[in-house]
């Protein structure tokens, strides 16, 4: 067999593998969307869920998902940014840095249910915070830190060394060079990673079952006092998210149309995750064009 024939066969095999993966993805998306979208309506998106049967809308769960996502990103982004800058710019190549990288790898490989059980034992039981938004947010921070830290480190490392040398040659300190030159150049990749990790957090369920809880208490959306138990902004109230709601309806739902409710909620979740991924790509490309002054 000559080299051309070998190359042709290898190319065909690779194309078939890629086509099969893409085909499976489109099949799953089409199946979920066609099964769920006919049951999605405005009342479904904004209505309340019956606490006993699970019937009704997903308005509270949808709000809980975005609120928990916001708190998680507010906690995890600054920590990941600091860790990424340290590893990319300041950490020396020694055993301490290797230990930190190994810890990040181990943390990233932990199953989400293990992270949830850790959060349950530490925040819910030990610190007596209870099932709450803040417990879920901190647990998801542990889940999100490795991905964000690695993304920020790689985005900073991808910046050309000449950029750093140019800043230092102008008399800027290393920190000023980092803030004024390196971070703006790496910003598109960092923002893309943040949005992608947000989509991953938005669809998480296992870790939240044990930390944020499986109930969605009645909330008064006219009350925006975070210290009021009925306020949607209260971080110490239980908060069933959309992903947890889908799991609960499938396993414990008593409504006659539980399958339709689950399919509709799954379609909404899939659309939200797709929007996160599409938004990450569009925002990353926009920031890249702004930073590099390219069309």
């Amino acid at each position: 067999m000559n080299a051309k024939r070998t190359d042709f066969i290898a190319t065909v095999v690779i194309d078939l593998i890629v086509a099969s993966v893409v085909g499976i993805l489109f099949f799953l998306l089409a199946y979920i969307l066609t099964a769920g979208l006919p049951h999605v309506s405005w009342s479904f998106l904004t209505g309340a869920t019956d606490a006993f049967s699970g019937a009704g809308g997903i308005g509270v769960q949808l709000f809980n998902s975005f609120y928990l996502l916001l708190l998680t990103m507010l906690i995890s982004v600054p920590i990941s940014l600091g860790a990424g800058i340290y590893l990319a710019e300041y950490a020396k190549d020694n055993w301490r840095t290797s230990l930190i990288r190994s810890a990040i790898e181990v943390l990233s490989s932990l199953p989400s249910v293990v992270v949830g059980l850790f959060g349950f034992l530490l925040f819910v039981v030990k610190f007596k915070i209870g099932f709450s938004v803040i417990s879920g947010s901190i647990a998801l921070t542990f889940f999100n830190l490795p991905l964000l830290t690695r993304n920020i480190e790689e985005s900073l490392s991808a910046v050309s060394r000449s950029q750093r040398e140019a800043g230092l040659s102008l008399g800027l300190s290393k920190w000023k060079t980092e803030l004024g030159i390196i971070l703006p150049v790496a910003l598109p990749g960092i923002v893309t990673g943040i949005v992608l990790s947000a989509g991953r957090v938005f669809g998480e369920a296992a870790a939240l079952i044990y930390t944020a809880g499986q109930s969605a208490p009645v909330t008064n959306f006219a009350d925006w006092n975070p210290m009021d138990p009925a306020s949607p902004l209260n971080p110490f109230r239980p908060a069933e998210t959309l992903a947890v709601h889908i799991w609960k309806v499938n396993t414990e739902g008593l409504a006659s149309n539980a399958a339709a409710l689950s399919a509709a909620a799954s379609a909404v979740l899939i659309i939200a995750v797709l929007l996160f991924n599409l938004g990450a790509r569009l925002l990353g490309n926009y920031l890249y064009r702004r930073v590099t002054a390219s069309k």
Side-chain angles (χ1 to χ4, degrees), residues 59-191:
V60 176
Q61 286 82 2
L62 206 53
F63 176 84
N64 289 341
S65 297
F66 282 107
Y67 185 42
L68 198 142
L69 171 64
L70 176 63
L71 291 183
T72 301
M73 301 310 288
L74 286 177
I75 299 172
S76 59
V77 169
I79 299 174
S80 299
L81 186 62
I85 291 175
Y86 171 77
L87 289 173
E89 304 295 332
Y90 294 96
K92 297 180 180 179
D93 189 11
N94 52 30
W95 67 269
R96 293 187 183 89
T97 305
S98 298
L99 182 62
I100 294 173
R101 295 185 193 279
S102 298
I104 293 174
E105 292 293 337
V106 170
L107 193 58
S108 65
S109 64
L110 287 177
S112 57
V113 66
V114 174
V115 177
L117 287 172
F118 169 77
F120 170 75
L121 293 174
L122 185 62
F123 306 118
V124 178
V125 177
K126 181 67 176 178
F127 294 159
K128 302 185 185 302
I129 300 177
F131 294 108
S132 61
V133 175
I134 193 66
S135 296
S137 298
I138 299 175
L140 287 183
T141 296
F142 286 105
F143 181 74
N144 201 33
L145 278 176
L147 176 66
L148 270 180
T149 301
R150 178 57 60 86
N151 169 261
I152 292 173
E153 181 189 358
E154 291 179 353
S155 298
L156 293 172
S157 299
V159 179
S160 173
R161 184 174 180 82
S162 60
Q163 300 270 19
R164 296 171 173 81
E165 294 174 348
L168 296 175
S169 66
L170 292 174
L172 300 177
S173 65
K174 189 171 184 179
W175 180 241
K176 286 286 188 180
T177 302
E178 187 69 30
L179 288 180
I181 298 176
I182 307 304
L183 271 179
V185 175
L187 187 61
I190 294 174
V191 171

